[in-house]
Amino acid sequence: QAKYKERGTVLAEDQLAQMSKQLETFRTHLEAFASKHKQEIRKSPEFRLQFQDMCATIGVDPLASGKGFWAEMLGVGDFYYELGVQIIEVCLALKHRNGGLITLEELQQQVLKGRGKFAQDVSQDDLLRAIKKLKVLGNGFGIIPVGGTFLVQSVPAELNMDHTVVLQLAEKKGFVTVSEIRGSLKWETERAKQVLDHLLKEGMAWLDLQAPAEPQFWFPALFPELHGQDGNPE
């Protein structure tokens, strides 16, 4: 029995050694691929996404460090750092209007507008990766799934699952009422009011007291969704 156990250990070690060798070979090929196609990786969002997926399969994060092969060869660290700065600038500029919430689509439009027509294209995947890197700055930046897209939160407001569910409920119309929350989510009135009052306090919602039936709680971050995503709801 000891002999079989020893043989099994040797086989396991051999398999591990083979896997390590294969991963190292793949990493070498990946570096050669990156070196050959660095211009395409820097210029094309689609190429960049495919490259990031290739890196993920072997546990390589080309954004993890500002030093070393990936940063020197591709400049990807600089690309996402600069993109992060642009995201912060856009979010700060629009905070007075949306309370620190913005759809990923509008954020992409505003970033592209600021970069100019001759700059590198930026995809929504690029934005999401840059936002995840911005989380190291604290709890100010976050990503909230809403419908088939995302809302980007750029203020350190405490939003729990209740707030997220209400935002998801308001996504199609841009507003929600206490009655709609009660009917759709089966919540008590007090629970709905607490969530909405918090969103009002944080500046993420606006209250329309002149609505015909009952007060409506509007979310300016969702306005572009209702106006062809042109970023001009007025």
Side-chain angles (χ1 to χ4, degrees):
Q1 189 175 2
K3 183 183 291 186
Y4 284 122
K5 188 175 181 181
E6 183 179 346
R7 185 180 299 172
T9 302
V10 172
L11 286 173
E13 289 176 350
D14 286 344
Q15 289 175 339
L16 185 60
Q18 286 182 352
M19 284 182 61
S20 297
K21 188 175 180 180
Q22 288 174 348
L23 282 174
E24 191 57 40
T25 300
F26 192 83
R27 186 188 294 258
T28 301
H29 286 311
L30 185 62
E31 291 184 358
F33 176 87
S35 177
K36 181 179 180 181
H37 298 285
K38 64 178 181 179
Q39 293 303 323
E40 292 92 331
I41 292 170
R42 295 178 68 174
K43 291 180 179 179
S44 167
E46 294 80 11
F47 218 99
R48 204 154 44 242
L49 177 58
Q50 291 175 0
F51 175 69
Q52 297 278 8
D53 289 341
M54 289 169 62
C55 289
T57 61
I58 59 168
V60 173
D61 183 0
L63 307 184
S65 172
K67 300 178 181 179
F69 170 83
W70 302 107
E72 292 174 8
M73 177 56 66
L74 301 178
V76 286
D78 290 341
F79 172 82
Y80 284 99
Y81 170 77
E82 291 167 5
L83 184 56
V85 171
Q86 288 182 303
I87 290 170
I88 292 172
E89 289 174 345
V90 168
C91 289
L92 286 176
L94 299 179
K95 181 184 172 184
H96 71 283
R97 190 186 83 186
N98 57 32
L101 283 179
I102 186 172
T103 61
L104 189 61
E105 288 83 359
E106 185 183 8
L107 179 59
Q108 182 185 27
Q109 289 175 358
Q110 295 293 340
V111 167
L112 288 173
K113 188 187 299 183
R115 290 173 71 84
K117 62 181 180 180
F118 297 112
Q120 293 164 278
D121 197 6
V122 172
S123 69
Q124 292 185 12
D125 179 78
D126 288 328
L127 291 173
L128 290 173
R129 291 180 190 278
I131 291 165
K132 288 175 183 176
K133 296 300 172 185
L134 289 175
K135 286 185 178 180
V136 301
L137 299 178
N139 62 347
F141 276 85
I143 300 168
I144 304 170
V146 175
T149 183
F150 297 94
L151 281 175
V152 177
Q153 178 187 345
S154 60
V155 291
E158 290 293 331
L159 298 186
N160 58 30
M161 187 55 69
D162 279 3
H163 303 109
T164 300
V165 170
V166 169
L167 286 167
Q168 291 171 340
L169 186 63
E171 184 247 341
K172 290 184 178 178
K173 296 190 297 181
F175 72 89
V176 72
T177 65
V178 172
S179 295
E180 288 173 343
I181 294 175
R182 283 171 50 91
S184 297
L185 304 178
K186 311 303 179 188
W187 288 0
E188 295 295 329
T189 300
E190 188 57 34
R191 182 179 179 183
K193 284 185 176 179
Q194 283 184 355
V195 172
L196 291 169
D197 286 345
H198 181 75
L199 292 169
L200 277 175
K201 179 183 173 184
E202 295 294 343
M204 296 177 180
W206 295 351
L207 179 59
D208 181 5
L209 293 172
Q210 299 180 352
E214 64 177 306
Q216 295 175 346
F217 294 79
W218 284 83
F219 297 91
L222 299 172
F223 287 173
E225 300 299 310
L226 307 175
H227 295 266
Q229 299 181 355
D230 59 5
N232 297 303
E234 291 80 17

